[in-house]
Amino acid sequence: MSSYRPYQHIERRKSRQIHVGKVAVGGDAPISVQTMTNTLTSDAQATIEQIRLAELAGVDIVRVSCPDEASTEALKEIVHEVNVPIVADIHFHYKRAIEAAKAGAACLRINPGNIGSAERVREVVNAARDYGCSIRIGVNAGSLEKHLLEKYGEPNPEALVESALEHAKILQDHDFHEFKISVKASDVFMAVAAYQQLADCCDHPLHIGITEAGSKRAGTVKSSIGLGNLLWAGVGDTMRVSLSAAPEEEVLVGWDILKSLGLRHRGVKIISCPSCARQGFNVVETVQTLEDRLQHIKTPLTLSIIGCVVNGPGEALMTDIGVTGGGSGRHMVYSAGRQDHTMPAENMIEHIVELVEAKVAAIDAGTAEATTAKQMDPASN
C-alpha cells in the first residue's frame, strides 16, 4: 500500500509469487479474497449457483470439498461454468487429488504428509505439475500430527509452524515450489502467533484465516481482529473469512477488511455516523438501503452519510460524495469535498444512487480514455 500519509503505510512481507489459475498470489499481487462452498460438490448445479453469487460479491478464488469420486467428477462441469479458479479440498485420499487435477482444479488443498506413502505423494505432485495446479498446504490446529501433539503436549504456534515446514519440505524434495501455506486455528492468539512465526522463517506465500470463526456477527469480529492484525503487519497474500454463513457473506466481510486497511478497493465505501438525536434523517435506514442499492457497483468510490453538521462537512472533505443532514427537510450534498447543492428529503435515496452512478460513469470513462491514450502513445510501449 502506498499513501502520502505515513501513518497509513503498510509494508507487505516479501513473498514468492505463485498462481492459482489466473490469480497471482504473493509477491506484489493484490491480496486475494477466497471463500468455500457448502453445497454437495457432487450437485454441480447447486455448487455453480453458489459460486456465481460469490463472484457477484467479488470473490477471487473458490474452494470446494472433494471427499468422493462423484465430487471430482462434478468438478469438470463446475470448473467449466464459473469464472474464478477452483481449489479442490482433499483430505487423505490421494486419488481424489489426482482426479481433481485432471478435472481442471487450479489448486489442490492437501497436507502431503497425510496423503500416504512416498509413492502416493509423488503421484499427486506429478499430477499437479502435469495439469498446472498449485498446492495449498493447509495446517489446522484441530488436526495436527500425533508426533507433534506428543512433542508439544497441545496445539500451539510452534507445532503449527513445524507441521507446515515438514509438509513444505516434502514438496520441495520433489522440486515442487508452486505452493502456499496456511496455519489456521480457531484461537485468534494462536493463529496470529503461528502466522507471524511462519512469516519470519520462510518466503512462501501465506493463505491467512481464523478457522471456524463462528456466526456471521461473532465470526466477523473474530476474523477482523485476527486478519486485521496480520494484514496491518504486512502478513498475508490471500485470505478467507470463515463464517457459519453464506459464502458470499464471507467475501463481503473479506473485502471490507481489506478496504478498511486501504489494501484493496472495490465498490462503494460508505462512511456513516451511528446517528443520534441531532440527525436530520434516519441514518441507519438510509445506509442499509444504500448498501443494497449500490451492491452492483465495482468501481472504487467513497460516500459519506452523516446525519448532522457536526462531523458531516469534515467527512465530506475526504469522500467523493457526501451527504449531511440539514434543517427544514433539506440536506447538503458535497462533491469532492465541496458544497454542491441541497436536496429535499423526498426521493433522497434515488438522488444519491443517481449521483453515485453518474460519478462512477465519469470515473470509468476517464479510466478508459487514459488507457486508450497510453496504448496509442509510442513512448509508453
Side-chain angles (χ1 to χ4, degrees):
M1 170 186 171
S2 61
S3 173
Y4 62 89
R5 300 182 180 96
Y7 59 85
Q8 292 180 336
H9 180 69
I10 292 176
E11 187 71 33
R12 285 183 62 190
R13 163 183 172 266
K14 291 178 173 59
S15 61
R16 291 186 300 104
Q17 188 172 99
I18 68 166
H19 283 81
V20 178
K22 62 186 178 183
V23 177
V25 175
D28 59 356
I31 297 164
S32 50
V33 177
Q34 301 195 27
T35 188
M36 186 174 184
T37 56
N38 55 31
T39 52
L40 286 175
T41 306
S42 54
D43 185 344
Q45 195 53 46
T47 304
I48 290 165
E49 289 174 3
Q50 197 169 72
I51 293 171
R52 285 176 176 164
L53 288 174
E55 288 177 344
L56 289 174
V59 77
D60 297 302
I61 299 168
V62 175
R63 179 159 49 113
V64 303
S65 183
C66 292
D68 48 41
E69 196 171 352
S71 297
T72 54
E73 182 62 30
L75 203 58
K76 298 175 186 175
E77 181 181 353
I78 294 167
V79 167
H80 185 264
E81 293 296 323
V82 301
N83 299 306
V84 291
I86 299 298
V87 178
D89 192 85
I90 311 293
H91 287 279
F92 308 117
H93 302 292
Y94 83 103
K95 287 185 178 179
R96 300 294 86 79
I98 296 170
E99 292 162 2
K102 291 180 179 179
C107 180
L108 306 175
R109 189 275 193 189
I110 63 170
N111 283 348
N114 296 338
I115 288 294
S117 67
E119 178 55 35
R120 289 181 175 181
V121 173
R122 186 178 298 108
E123 287 187 48
V124 171
V125 171
N126 286 341
R129 185 179 284 117
D130 291 345
Y131 291 95
C133 291
S134 55
I135 287 176
R136 169 154 81 93
I137 294 170
V139 175
N140 194 302
S143 55
L144 280 168
E145 293 81 3
K146 185 179 178 181
H147 74 279
L148 291 174
L149 289 175
E150 290 175 352
K151 177 178 179 179
Y152 291 100
E154 64 176 4
N156 62 20
E158 291 73 23
L160 287 167
V161 172
E162 189 168 330
S163 175
L165 294 178
E166 286 179 359
H167 291 302
K169 187 176 186 305
I170 294 172
L171 296 182
Q172 290 169 318
D173 287 346
H174 285 82
D175 197 26
F176 188 90
H177 306 281
E178 278 282 305
F179 66 89
K180 51 194 165 95
I181 303 177
S182 64
V183 281
K184 294 186 179 182
S186 58
D187 178 271
V188 174
F189 297 98
M190 188 189 306
V192 170
Y195 276 114
Q196 289 172 334
Q197 290 179 28
L198 188 60
D200 288 340
C201 67
C202 73
D203 69 346
H204 306 304
L206 301 182
H207 169 102
I208 61 173
I210 306 299
T211 194
E212 296 146 4
S215 64
K216 180 180 175 181
R217 186 183 69 182
T220 294
V221 172
K222 195 172 180 180
S223 295
S224 297
I225 293 169
L227 298 183
N229 190 308
L230 289 168
L231 292 166
W232 202 331
V235 175
D237 301 291
T238 184
M239 61 183 280
R240 179 198 175 188
V241 176
S242 298
L243 302 176
S244 299
E248 64 267 25
E249 295 293 341
E250 296 186 346
V251 178
L252 293 172
V253 174
W255 270 101
D256 283 340
I257 292 172
L258 292 175
K259 287 195 288 188
S260 295
L261 291 169
L263 289 165
R264 283 189 76 179
H265 304 278
R266 181 185 190 274
V268 180
K269 179 180 179 181
I270 299 179
I271 290 90
S272 61
C273 68
S275 79
C276 68
R278 292 190 301 267
Q279 65 180 356
F281 57 90
N282 190 316
V283 174
V284 174
E285 287 184 5
T286 299
V287 171
Q288 289 175 342
T289 303
L290 285 171
E291 282 188 338
D292 291 337
R293 291 288 304 275
L294 299 173
Q295 275 188 15
H296 64 288
I297 291 175
K298 299 178 183 178
T299 302
L301 183 138
T302 51
L303 169 66
S304 56
I305 304 293
I306 309 296
C308 74
V309 296
V310 173
N311 291 324
E315 291 294 347
L317 285 172
M318 297 181 282
T319 53
D320 297 305
I321 297 172
V323 175
T324 298
S328 304
R330 296 193 71 84
H331 312 304
M332 179 61 68
V333 177
Y334 295 78
S335 178
R338 299 182 177 223
Q339 290 187 1
D340 195 75
H341 62 277
T342 62
M343 64 176 175
E346 298 81 19
N347 299 320
M348 177 180 176
I349 296 293
E350 296 300 327
H351 187 67
I352 295 172
V353 170
E354 288 173 4
L355 289 172
V356 169
E357 289 180 338
K359 181 72 173 179
V360 166
I363 292 171
D364 290 346
T367 301
E369 185 177 333
T371 301
T372 301
K374 185 177 180 181
Q375 290 171 344
M376 294 179 66
D377 181 7
S380 68
N381 297 322

